[in-house]
mmCIF file of all heavy atoms in Angstrom:
data_model
loop_
_atom_site.group_PDB
_atom_site.id
_atom_site.type_symbol
_atom_site.label_atom_id
_atom_site.label_comp_id
_atom_site.label_asym_id
_atom_site.label_seq_id
_atom_site.Cartn_x
_atom_site.Cartn_y
_atom_site.Cartn_z
ATOM 1 N N VAL A 1 0.855 -1.184 0.000
ATOM 2 C CA VAL A 1 0.000 0.000 0.000
ATOM 3 C C VAL A 1 0.890 1.233 0.000
ATOM 4 O O VAL A 1 2.047 1.183 0.408
ATOM 5 C CB VAL A 1 -0.949 0.039 1.227
ATOM 6 C CG1 VAL A 1 -1.917 -1.117 1.200
ATOM 7 C CG2 VAL A 1 -0.151 0.048 2.531
ATOM 8 N N CYS A 2 0.334 2.354 -0.448
ATOM 9 C CA CYS A 2 1.070 3.622 -0.473
ATOM 10 C C CYS A 2 0.344 4.592 0.446
ATOM 11 O O CYS A 2 -0.568 5.299 0.021
ATOM 12 C CB CYS A 2 1.137 4.163 -1.897
ATOM 13 S SG CYS A 2 2.104 5.690 -2.031
ATOM 14 N N ALA A 3 0.712 4.565 1.721
ATOM 15 C CA ALA A 3 -0.043 5.357 2.695
ATOM 16 C C ALA A 3 0.848 6.083 3.692
ATOM 17 O O ALA A 3 0.353 6.630 4.660
ATOM 18 C CB ALA A 3 -1.013 4.459 3.456
ATOM 19 N N TYR A 4 2.182 6.088 3.491
ATOM 20 C CA TYR A 4 3.113 6.751 4.414
ATOM 21 C C TYR A 4 2.828 6.361 5.863
ATOM 22 O O TYR A 4 2.559 7.214 6.710
ATOM 23 C CB TYR A 4 3.033 8.267 4.245
ATOM 24 C CG TYR A 4 3.323 8.742 2.851
ATOM 25 C CD1 TYR A 4 2.291 9.139 2.006
ATOM 26 C CD2 TYR A 4 4.625 8.776 2.366
ATOM 27 C CE1 TYR A 4 2.548 9.564 0.711
ATOM 28 C CE2 TYR A 4 4.891 9.205 1.081
ATOM 29 C CZ TYR A 4 3.849 9.592 0.259
ATOM 30 O OH TYR A 4 4.115 10.008 -1.014
ATOM 31 N N PRO A 5 2.885 5.052 6.178
ATOM 32 C CA PRO A 5 2.488 4.640 7.530
ATOM 33 C C PRO A 5 3.532 4.977 8.587
ATOM 34 O O PRO A 5 4.735 5.064 8.314
ATOM 35 C CB PRO A 5 2.329 3.120 7.386
ATOM 36 C CG PRO A 5 3.289 2.758 6.297
ATOM 37 C CD PRO A 5 3.253 3.909 5.330
ATOM 38 N N ALA A 6 3.028 5.128 9.788
ATOM 39 C CA ALA A 6 3.880 5.301 10.966
ATOM 40 C C ALA A 6 3.179 4.650 12.147
ATOM 41 O O ALA A 6 1.945 4.617 12.218
ATOM 42 C CB ALA A 6 4.143 6.774 11.255
ATOM 43 N N ILE A 7 3.965 4.110 13.048
ATOM 44 C CA ILE A 7 3.437 3.655 14.331
ATOM 45 C C ILE A 7 3.420 4.853 15.264
ATOM 46 O O ILE A 7 4.442 5.528 15.449
ATOM 47 C CB ILE A 7 4.299 2.526 14.908
ATOM 48 C CG1 ILE A 7 4.021 1.221 14.162
ATOM 49 C CG2 ILE A 7 4.061 2.359 16.401
ATOM 50 C CD1 ILE A 7 4.912 0.073 14.576
ATOM 51 N N THR A 8 2.259 5.138 15.822
ATOM 52 C CA THR A 8 2.151 6.206 16.811
ATOM 53 C C THR A 8 1.454 5.668 18.045
ATOM 54 O O THR A 8 0.462 4.934 17.942
ATOM 55 C CB THR A 8 1.365 7.419 16.277
ATOM 56 O OG1 THR A 8 0.082 6.986 15.806
ATOM 57 C CG2 THR A 8 2.095 8.098 15.156
ATOM 58 N N VAL A 9 1.988 6.009 19.194
ATOM 59 C CA VAL A 9 1.357 5.672 20.467
ATOM 60 C C VAL A 9 1.123 6.983 21.207
ATOM 61 O O VAL A 9 2.069 7.724 21.490
ATOM 62 C CB VAL A 9 2.226 4.723 21.310
ATOM 63 C CG1 VAL A 9 1.543 4.418 22.643
ATOM 64 C CG2 VAL A 9 2.505 3.430 20.547
ATOM 65 N N ILE A 10 -0.147 7.273 21.474
ATOM 66 C CA ILE A 10 -0.551 8.520 22.122
ATOM 67 C C ILE A 10 -1.218 8.170 23.442
ATOM 68 O O ILE A 10 -2.117 7.328 23.492
ATOM 69 C CB ILE A 10 -1.522 9.328 21.235
ATOM 70 C CG1 ILE A 10 -0.950 9.494 19.826
ATOM 71 C CG2 ILE A 10 -1.814 10.688 21.858
ATOM 72 C CD1 ILE A 10 -1.903 10.139 18.839
ATOM 73 N N ARG A 11 -0.799 8.835 24.495
ATOM 74 C CA ARG A 11 -1.281 8.547 25.849
ATOM 75 C C ARG A 11 -2.057 9.732 26.406
ATOM 76 O O ARG A 11 -1.711 10.879 26.138
ATOM 77 C CB ARG A 11 -0.079 8.224 26.740
ATOM 78 C CG ARG A 11 -0.368 8.089 28.226
ATOM 79 C CD ARG A 11 0.912 7.678 28.978
ATOM 80 N NE ARG A 11 2.070 8.450 28.538
ATOM 81 C CZ ARG A 11 2.373 9.668 29.018
ATOM 82 N NH1 ARG A 11 1.603 10.246 29.935
ATOM 83 N NH2 ARG A 11 3.452 10.293 28.564
ATOM 84 N N GLN A 12 -3.098 9.444 27.192
ATOM 85 C CA GLN A 12 -3.759 10.536 27.894
ATOM 86 C C GLN A 12 -2.950 10.852 29.147
ATOM 87 O O GLN A 12 -2.875 10.054 30.084
ATOM 88 C CB GLN A 12 -5.195 10.199 28.302
ATOM 89 C CG GLN A 12 -5.899 11.435 28.855
ATOM 90 C CD GLN A 12 -7.278 11.148 29.387
ATOM 91 O OE1 GLN A 12 -7.442 10.889 30.578
ATOM 92 N NE2 GLN A 12 -8.269 11.203 28.525
ATOM 93 N N GLY A 13 -2.290 11.993 29.148
ATOM 94 C CA GLY A 13 -1.434 12.369 30.263
ATOM 95 C C GLY A 13 -0.470 13.458 29.854
ATOM 96 O O GLY A 13 -0.522 13.980 28.732
ATOM 97 N N GLU A 14 0.416 13.814 30.751
ATOM 98 C CA GLU A 14 1.398 14.856 30.505
ATOM 99 C C GLU A 14 2.489 14.368 29.560
ATOM 100 O O GLU A 14 2.936 13.222 29.655
ATOM 101 C CB GLU A 14 2.029 15.317 31.826
ATOM 102 C CG GLU A 14 1.066 16.017 32.769
ATOM 103 C CD GLU A 14 0.595 17.350 32.214
ATOM 104 O OE1 GLU A 14 1.420 18.058 31.602
ATOM 105 O OE2 GLU A 14 -0.597 17.665 32.379
ATOM 106 N N GLN A 15 2.917 15.253 28.677
ATOM 107 C CA GLN A 15 3.976 14.893 27.737
ATOM 108 C C GLN A 15 5.301 14.727 28.460
ATOM 109 O O GLN A 15 5.715 15.577 29.247
ATOM 110 C CB GLN A 15 4.122 15.962 26.657
ATOM 111 C CG GLN A 15 5.193 15.662 25.623
ATOM 112 C CD GLN A 15 4.841 14.471 24.747
ATOM 113 O OE1 GLN A 15 3.842 14.474 24.048
ATOM 114 N NE2 GLN A 15 5.680 13.443 24.784
ATOM 115 N N GLY A 16 5.944 13.610 28.198
ATOM 116 C CA GLY A 16 7.290 13.373 28.694
ATOM 117 C C GLY A 16 8.195 13.059 27.536
ATOM 118 O O GLY A 16 8.055 13.616 26.441
ATOM 119 N N GLY A 17 9.111 12.138 27.736
ATOM 120 C CA GLY A 17 9.996 11.734 26.663
ATOM 121 C C GLY A 17 9.242 10.986 25.580
ATOM 122 O O GLY A 17 8.179 10.391 25.830
ATOM 123 N N VAL A 18 9.779 11.011 24.365
ATOM 124 C CA VAL A 18 9.135 10.338 23.237
ATOM 125 C C VAL A 18 10.202 9.613 22.422
ATOM 126 O O VAL A 18 11.281 10.152 22.175
ATOM 127 C CB VAL A 18 8.340 11.343 22.366
ATOM 128 C CG1 VAL A 18 9.208 12.514 21.936
ATOM 129 C CG2 VAL A 18 7.741 10.663 21.147
ATOM 130 N N ILE A 19 9.882 8.381 22.034
ATOM 131 C CA ILE A 19 10.785 7.598 21.199
ATOM 132 C C ILE A 19 10.465 7.890 19.736
ATOM 133 O O ILE A 19 9.339 7.664 19.283
ATOM 134 C CB ILE A 19 10.628 6.088 21.457
ATOM 135 C CG1 ILE A 19 10.850 5.754 22.930
ATOM 136 C CG2 ILE A 19 11.589 5.297 20.563
ATOM 137 C CD1 ILE A 19 12.230 6.044 23.443
ATOM 138 N N VAL A 20 11.450 8.396 19.000
ATOM 139 C CA VAL A 20 11.278 8.623 17.566
ATOM 140 C C VAL A 20 12.201 7.651 16.840
ATOM 141 O O VAL A 20 13.358 7.461 17.232
ATOM 142 C CB VAL A 20 11.579 10.082 17.161
ATOM 143 C CG1 VAL A 20 10.571 11.021 17.790
ATOM 144 C CG2 VAL A 20 12.991 10.493 17.548
ATOM 145 N N ALA A 21 11.664 7.023 15.807
ATOM 146 C CA ALA A 21 12.442 6.056 15.041
ATOM 147 C C ALA A 21 12.231 6.304 13.559
ATOM 148 O O ALA A 21 11.112 6.571 13.121
ATOM 149 C CB ALA A 21 12.026 4.631 15.407
ATOM 150 N N ASP A 22 13.308 6.224 12.807
ATOM 151 C CA ASP A 22 13.259 6.374 11.357
ATOM 152 C C ASP A 22 13.744 5.068 10.755
ATOM 153 O O ASP A 22 14.876 4.648 11.008
ATOM 154 C CB ASP A 22 14.150 7.544 10.921
ATOM 155 C CG ASP A 22 13.978 7.884 9.455
ATOM 156 O OD1 ASP A 22 12.857 7.740 8.948
ATOM 157 O OD2 ASP A 22 14.963 8.293 8.826
ATOM 158 N N THR A 23 12.894 4.404 9.970
ATOM 159 C CA THR A 23 13.204 3.076 9.485
ATOM 160 C C THR A 23 13.423 3.065 7.975
ATOM 161 O O THR A 23 13.039 3.987 7.269
ATOM 162 C CB THR A 23 12.065 2.093 9.817
ATOM 163 O OG1 THR A 23 10.885 2.494 9.101
ATOM 164 C CG2 THR A 23 11.759 2.097 11.314
ATOM 165 N N THR A 24 14.020 1.989 7.499
ATOM 166 C CA THR A 24 14.183 1.743 6.068
ATOM 167 C C THR A 24 13.534 0.394 5.744
ATOM 168 O O THR A 24 13.010 -0.304 6.625
ATOM 169 C CB THR A 24 15.665 1.703 5.661
ATOM 170 O OG1 THR A 24 16.256 0.492 6.176
ATOM 171 C CG2 THR A 24 16.412 2.906 6.214
ATOM 172 N N ALA A 25 13.611 -0.002 4.486
ATOM 173 C CA ALA A 25 13.020 -1.268 4.065
ATOM 174 C C ALA A 25 13.688 -2.468 4.737
ATOM 175 O O ALA A 25 13.104 -3.561 4.766
ATOM 176 C CB ALA A 25 13.118 -1.397 2.538
ATOM 177 N N ARG A 26 14.862 -2.293 5.302
ATOM 178 C CA ARG A 26 15.579 -3.397 5.956
ATOM 179 C C ARG A 26 15.065 -3.678 7.366
ATOM 180 O O ARG A 26 15.403 -4.697 7.966
ATOM 181 C CB ARG A 26 17.079 -3.097 6.003
ATOM 182 C CG ARG A 26 17.715 -2.921 4.624
ATOM 183 C CD ARG A 26 19.190 -2.558 4.728
ATOM 184 N NE ARG A 26 19.995 -3.634 5.280
ATOM 185 C CZ ARG A 26 20.747 -3.535 6.353
ATOM 186 N NH1 ARG A 26 20.798 -2.395 7.030
ATOM 187 N NH2 ARG A 26 21.450 -4.556 6.781
ATOM 188 N N PHE A 27 14.248 -2.791 7.909
ATOM 189 C CA PHE A 27 13.716 -2.973 9.261
ATOM 190 C C PHE A 27 12.823 -4.212 9.295
ATOM 191 O O PHE A 27 11.950 -4.378 8.444
ATOM 192 C CB PHE A 27 12.913 -1.729 9.647
ATOM 193 C CG PHE A 27 12.438 -1.699 11.074
ATOM 194 C CD1 PHE A 27 13.332 -1.714 12.124
ATOM 195 C CD2 PHE A 27 11.076 -1.630 11.360
ATOM 196 C CE1 PHE A 27 12.896 -1.657 13.435
ATOM 197 C CE2 PHE A 27 10.622 -1.570 12.663
ATOM 198 C CZ PHE A 27 11.529 -1.577 13.702
ATOM 199 N N ASP A 28 13.035 -5.092 10.296
ATOM 200 C CA ASP A 28 12.277 -6.341 10.344
ATOM 201 C C ASP A 28 11.846 -6.648 11.771
ATOM 202 O O ASP A 28 12.089 -5.874 12.703
ATOM 203 C CB ASP A 28 13.094 -7.494 9.762
ATOM 204 C CG ASP A 28 14.428 -7.712 10.488
ATOM 205 O OD1 ASP A 28 14.563 -7.257 11.654
ATOM 206 O OD2 ASP A 28 15.335 -8.334 9.899
ATOM 207 N N GLU A 29 11.190 -7.800 11.933
ATOM 208 C CA GLU A 29 10.604 -8.141 13.230
ATOM 209 C C GLU A 29 11.665 -8.326 14.311
ATOM 210 O O GLU A 29 11.403 -8.036 15.492
ATOM 211 C CB GLU A 29 9.762 -9.406 13.108
ATOM 212 C CG GLU A 29 10.496 -10.621 12.600
ATOM 213 C CD GLU A 29 9.551 -11.790 12.380
ATOM 214 O OE1 GLU A 29 8.930 -12.251 13.366
ATOM 215 O OE2 GLU A 29 9.417 -12.225 11.229
ATOM 216 N N HIS A 30 12.852 -8.796 13.940
ATOM 217 C CA HIS A 30 13.888 -9.031 14.950
ATOM 218 C C HIS A 30 14.410 -7.698 15.498
ATOM 219 O O HIS A 30 14.556 -7.531 16.719
ATOM 220 C CB HIS A 30 15.021 -9.859 14.348
ATOM 221 C CG HIS A 30 14.565 -11.146 13.734
ATOM 222 N ND1 HIS A 30 14.044 -12.178 14.482
ATOM 223 C CD2 HIS A 30 14.517 -11.550 12.429
ATOM 224 C CE1 HIS A 30 13.707 -13.170 13.679
ATOM 225 N NE2 HIS A 30 13.989 -12.826 12.428
ATOM 226 N N THR A 31 14.693 -6.763 14.593
ATOM 227 C CA THR A 31 15.139 -5.449 15.054
ATOM 228 C C THR A 31 14.017 -4.737 15.794
ATOM 229 O O THR A 31 14.267 -4.020 16.772
ATOM 230 C CB THR A 31 15.607 -4.597 13.861
ATOM 231 O OG1 THR A 31 16.495 -5.360 13.053
ATOM 232 C CG2 THR A 31 16.315 -3.338 14.345
ATOM 233 N N ALA A 32 12.783 -4.925 15.336
ATOM 234 C CA ALA A 32 11.641 -4.294 16.015
ATOM 235 C C ALA A 32 11.541 -4.771 17.458
ATOM 236 O O ALA A 32 11.279 -3.975 18.377
ATOM 237 C CB ALA A 32 10.355 -4.600 15.264
ATOM 238 N N ALA A 33 11.754 -6.078 17.680
ATOM 239 C CA ALA A 33 11.695 -6.607 19.043
ATOM 240 C C ALA A 33 12.789 -5.991 19.919
ATOM 241 O O ALA A 33 12.556 -5.666 21.095
ATOM 242 C CB ALA A 33 11.827 -8.128 19.011
ATOM 243 N N ARG A 34 13.980 -5.812 19.345
ATOM 244 C CA ARG A 34 15.066 -5.176 20.106
ATOM 245 C C ARG A 34 14.729 -3.720 20.412
ATOM 246 O O ARG A 34 15.014 -3.222 21.513
ATOM 247 C CB ARG A 34 16.371 -5.253 19.308
ATOM 248 C CG ARG A 34 16.973 -6.652 19.192
ATOM 249 C CD ARG A 34 18.235 -6.620 18.335
ATOM 250 N NE ARG A 34 19.172 -5.617 18.812
ATOM 251 C CZ ARG A 34 19.888 -4.828 18.022
ATOM 252 N NH1 ARG A 34 19.765 -4.923 16.696
ATOM 253 N NH2 ARG A 34 20.720 -3.935 18.533
ATOM 254 N N LEU A 35 14.126 -3.032 19.434
ATOM 255 C CA LEU A 35 13.768 -1.634 19.652
ATOM 256 C C LEU A 35 12.695 -1.507 20.724
ATOM 257 O O LEU A 35 12.744 -0.587 21.552
ATOM 258 C CB LEU A 35 13.294 -1.009 18.336
ATOM 259 C CG LEU A 35 12.863 0.456 18.373
ATOM 260 C CD1 LEU A 35 13.961 1.339 18.961
ATOM 261 C CD2 LEU A 35 12.491 0.937 16.975
ATOM 262 N N VAL A 36 11.720 -2.421 20.738
ATOM 263 C CA VAL A 36 10.699 -2.406 21.790
ATOM 264 C C VAL A 36 11.356 -2.584 23.154
ATOM 265 O O VAL A 36 11.042 -1.866 24.114
ATOM 266 C CB VAL A 36 9.648 -3.509 21.545
ATOM 267 C CG1 VAL A 36 8.761 -3.684 22.774
ATOM 268 C CG2 VAL A 36 8.790 -3.169 20.330
#
């Protein structure tokens, strides 16, 4: 699909730190698990 997807997690609460990640086509489930 061509939809410029992103994973976003939004919380009801005060803004604190935020994890920003920029991925390429090489990003896979194994690296995703490490990033989590």
